[in-house]
Amino acid sequence: MESTKGTLRPNDKVAQLEKEVLALRKQIKLLQAENTSDTNRLENQVEAGKRDIIELTPFETIFDKSILGNKIIAPDLKIIRVNKALENMLGYNQEELIGTKITAFSHPDFIGHWKELQDHLWSKKIPAFQIEVCMIKKDGAIIWCRVTSILFQNQNEVLGYTIVEDINTRKTLEQELKKQYEKQETIMHLIAHDLKNPLYNIKLAAELLKDTLENSNNAVSERNKEAFEYINLIMATSDRTFEIVQDLLLIGEVESSATVAEEINLGDLIRHYLHTHHADATKKSIKIVFHSSDEPVFAHIEKEKFMRLLENLLSNAVKFSRAGEQVTITLKKENDKAVLQVHDNGIGIPEELQENIFDKFTKARRTGTSGETTTGLGLYIVKQIVQKYQGRVWVESKENKGTTFYVELV
């Protein structure tokens, strides 16, 4: 009988093959499970890193090569991406900037500006917003920057593409110019103050001299007539110069003084003014009419400042009205605000001059209908007073058809 040791029978071979097949199937399942796990892990990593992946392919060159600082910020103001120019501007490297809120590099006085930008872009959905802020560099130096941020959609998130421009040189020049301006204003104010009393004395001396000549028992001679003409000239010149000095002093007061407001009844002030100030209108036979609602109209402003505001507007209306015409004052309340209108039917303001009429020593100044002159400061003072009390002033005018000035106060 032939030995079969070491030789597998057919049934045994089949059984062994089945075991090997089962083992291979287990290995395949394990590999499939590992592959699925790797795939899921990669997908999770991609999902978690979406905020760090910015699809800016069309803007890559602009972003990276720009000489202006470029950055991308998230709705919470965290920096997602920066270019080399911004790194150089602030002195920080990319690792120090990315992931940090931009407010961490802002001067404390300007944190509110960044929050305003955040609110306008992401809450109010304004597509672009611009601010000027001070940033603090790594070495502690302060730099002025103009920041322009534009919203754009990146996958499922709205981000801010932000351009940061170094405006330090411009701001330094502006501040120096402001100092020079303030110094000039101080000198002008001192000169005006020193001139006020001598001018008043000249005017008073001329009036006394005129009274003396008028009360003289001597017959009015030709020489006396000539003297009267000179005296009148002195008085008119003194009045004119005194008016300029008063305006200069008021400008200094309005621009430098703190705002002190009280709630006042504007209607009562206007009525009081019209009872005591109407000489110029009377000379030109101009009628001043006042219209007001039955309800009192109040505003927060100093009485003296409002009286000067009203005087300047009325003086302007009378000056450019023809003899015998009418000036109308209207006072009303609109949207919880006091609105004053001063309307005349005079010569009007040419359209090309209207944008300059509120400028200091404006080039738009003209001679009145009876030859009246102007300092070019009256309407500038009006605007300064109105803005000092958070109001606004504007004008509507047509040449040869009249002018209306509007003042809105809170």
Side-chain angles (χ1 to χ4, degrees), residues 52-78:
D52 300 321
I53 302 174
I54 310 301
E55 295 296 338
L56 285 175
T57 305
F59 308 106
E60 288 290 341
T61 302
I62 297 174
F63 186 92
D64 292 328
K65 303 299 182 182
S66 174
I67 60 173
L68 300 178
N70 277 221
K71 62 184 174 63
I72 294 170
I73 54 175
D76 60 0
L77 297 184
K78 280 187 179 179

Side-chain angles (χ1 to χ4, degrees), residues 196-262:
K196 184 178 179 181
N197 287 336
L199 281 171
Y200 181 77
N201 291 335
I202 292 171
K203 179 183 177 182
L204 182 60
E207 289 175 348
L208 291 172
L209 180 58
K210 184 177 181 179
D211 289 342
T212 301
L213 288 174
E214 287 177 340
N215 295 328
S216 174
N217 292 326
N218 298 328
V220 179
S221 63
E222 288 299 320
R223 176 169 289 186
N224 282 351
K225 288 181 180 179
E226 187 177 358
F228 273 121
E229 290 178 2
Y230 285 127
I231 291 170
N232 288 332
L233 179 61
I234 292 171
M235 292 176 64
T237 304
S238 298
D239 286 340
R240 166 81 175 141
T241 310
F242 196 77
E243 181 185 347
I244 296 173
V245 169
Q246 288 285 77
D247 282 348
L248 289 173
L249 288 171
L250 185 61
I251 287 173
E253 180 185 342
V254 171
E255 292 181 344
S256 63
S257 64
T259 301
V260 180
E262 57 180 317

Side-chain angles (χ1 to χ4, degrees), residues 31-94:
L31 289 172
Q32 286 177 337
E34 288 177 2
N35 186 54
T36 301
S37 177
D38 288 341
T39 301
N40 291 337
R41 186 166 60 253
L42 287 172
E43 287 177 351
N44 290 336
Q45 288 175 351
V46 169
E47 187 65 24
K50 271 186 178 180
R51 287 169 61 87
D52 300 321
I53 302 174
I54 310 301
E55 295 296 338
L56 285 175
T57 305
F59 308 106
E60 288 290 341
T61 302
I62 297 174
F63 186 92
D64 292 328
K65 303 299 182 182
S66 174
I67 60 173
L68 300 178
N70 277 221
K71 62 184 174 63
I72 294 170
I73 54 175
D76 60 0
L77 297 184
K78 280 187 179 179
I79 300 172
I80 297 176
R81 179 171 176 171
V82 296
N83 71 349
K84 196 66 180 178
L86 187 62
E87 292 181 54
N88 295 336
M89 187 184 299
L90 297 180
Y92 292 93
N93 60 40
Q94 190 174 110

